[in-house]
Amino acid sequence: MIALQILINGVLLGGTYVLMAQSLNLIFGVMRVVNLAHGSFIVMAGLFTFWAANHLGLSPLISLPTVFVAGFFIGGVLQPLIIEPLMGRGRRSELLSLIVTFGLNFMLVQIALQAFGSDYVSLPYMQATWHLGNLVFSEALVVAGLFAGAITALLYYGLNHTFVGKSLLAAAQSTTGALSCGINVARIRLLAFALGVALASAAGALLIMVIPMSAESADNLTILAFVIVALGGLGEYRGVIVAAILLGISQSIVGYFVGGDIENVLPFVFLIAIMLFRPQGLQRST
């Protein structure tokens, strides 16, 4: 029964990780940009959700659509200003985008520090537990996992069954091929970045219900998302889902038997192991 409890908790935690990682994966897949400011968008949304709950009395689920729309707007403004001018420069584009998003990350962290302070905070929302026989479920973890899973499912459906989604996938597979099909790749890159920031913001609004956050935890969240994407395979959407759930289960197991400190170190262990032994991730070798 303990094993089943740990497994379910890990799957629910992994569900929240999926949303966080897919947003990073979407940006990389279309633009070949590793967004080092990714964690900052998550943290900003999470801390705003915390602020809105304490000062405006809004539940995280009410704030969720707001932070999603705000994230989409912010991403839509930032992409043509600081990312799009770097595109089309070959290998230099990747390096320049890393430098630019690193600077953006620093700026966002400083803004978050000024706006929300440096303390770690967690949102005391849905603190009750549900019981099913001998199994005990955190209400907040269940709700966050289910909402993150639902948003991820909508993303997967949109990518595979809508014209816009198929255009995103086409641009991710081949820029030249997408252009030859009449797809406006510059517009698709704008959409990918805006949607990626929006999804990261939604992840932040849900994660604040599950884990403590501070402005300075942005880098750890970026690394966590990158570990999941690297494990699942860069640009592989289904692989990232599997990787996020595996990491969630692994952290749940380690947290139960060893303790929280080792649980927090586990993503870094995964990252080193991936880079050494399977840099292509879980995707099949070609």
Side-chain angles (χ1 to χ4, degrees):
M1 192 61 70
I2 292 177
L4 182 59
Q5 177 80 70
I6 293 173
L7 178 64
I8 294 174
N9 287 344
V11 170
L12 290 172
L13 180 61
T16 63
Y17 288 168
V18 169
L19 183 59
M20 176 177 67
Q22 288 290 32
S23 50
L24 179 65
N25 204 30
L26 179 65
I27 293 173
F28 176 84
V30 174
M31 304 177 65
R32 293 298 183 267
V33 169
V34 178
N35 179 19
L36 295 183
H38 186 72
S40 297
F41 292 119
I42 297 172
V43 164
M44 291 281 282
L47 294 179
F48 171 81
T49 301
F50 175 84
W51 178 88
N54 284 275
H55 292 83
L56 303 178
L58 297 179
S59 78
L61 302 182
I62 298 297
S63 299
L64 182 61
T66 301
V67 298
F68 181 89
V69 173
F72 190 89
F73 175 78
I74 292 170
V77 170
L78 290 176
Q79 196 275 342
L81 288 178
I82 65 173
I83 303 297
E84 187 61 28
L86 306 177
M87 298 294 99
R89 300 187 184 185
R91 301 287 296 182
R92 291 186 61 203
S93 296
E94 298 179 14
L95 177 60
L96 290 172
S97 64
L98 283 173
I99 296 171
V100 167
T101 56
F102 176 80
L104 177 62
N105 175 67
F106 180 81
M107 292 175 57
L108 292 176
V109 168
Q110 294 305 310
I111 292 172
L113 284 170
Q114 295 298 319
F116 303 110
S118 60
D119 294 335
Y120 275 85
V121 297
S122 59
L123 191 57
Y125 180 75
M126 292 186 172
Q127 296 300 297
T129 56
W130 291 331
H131 296 263
L132 181 61
N134 293 326
L135 298 176
V136 180
F137 303 98
S138 165
E139 188 177 4
L141 182 59
V142 170
V143 171
L146 291 177
F147 267 80
I151 295 172
T152 302
L154 288 173
L155 172 65
Y156 184 80
Y157 178 85
L159 288 174
N160 290 278
H161 299 284
T162 66
F163 175 77
V164 173
K166 291 178 180 179
S167 297
L168 284 166
L169 291 178
Q173 291 172 2
S174 171
T175 299
T176 303
L179 286 169
S180 66
C181 293
I183 296 173
N184 187 328
V185 174
R187 186 176 299 171
I188 289 298
R189 287 197 293 257
L190 171 61
L191 175 62
F193 194 83
L195 184 57
V197 174
L199 292 171
S201 301
L206 294 172
L207 281 171
I208 193 66
M209 298 165 52
V210 179
I211 61 174
M213 282 189 191
S214 76
E216 296 178 334
S217 62
D219 291 339
N220 287 339
L221 290 172
T222 298
I223 292 172
L224 180 60
F226 181 75
V227 167
I228 296 169
V229 171
L231 179 60
L234 296 173
E236 295 289 324
Y237 296 98
R238 284 177 292 184
V240 165
I241 294 174
V242 175
I245 293 175
L246 284 177
L247 181 59
I249 293 173
S250 300
Q251 284 190 309
S252 183
I253 293 171
V254 171
Y256 180 84
F257 288 105
V258 181
D261 291 337
I262 302 299
E263 177 185 351
N264 294 329
V265 173
L266 191 61
F268 298 93
V269 176
F270 268 54
L271 180 61
I272 294 172
I274 294 164
M275 294 298 102
L276 288 176
F277 302 111
R278 195 169 177 83
Q280 75 270 32
L282 295 175
Q283 62 183 333
R284 290 175 295 182
S285 300
T286 56

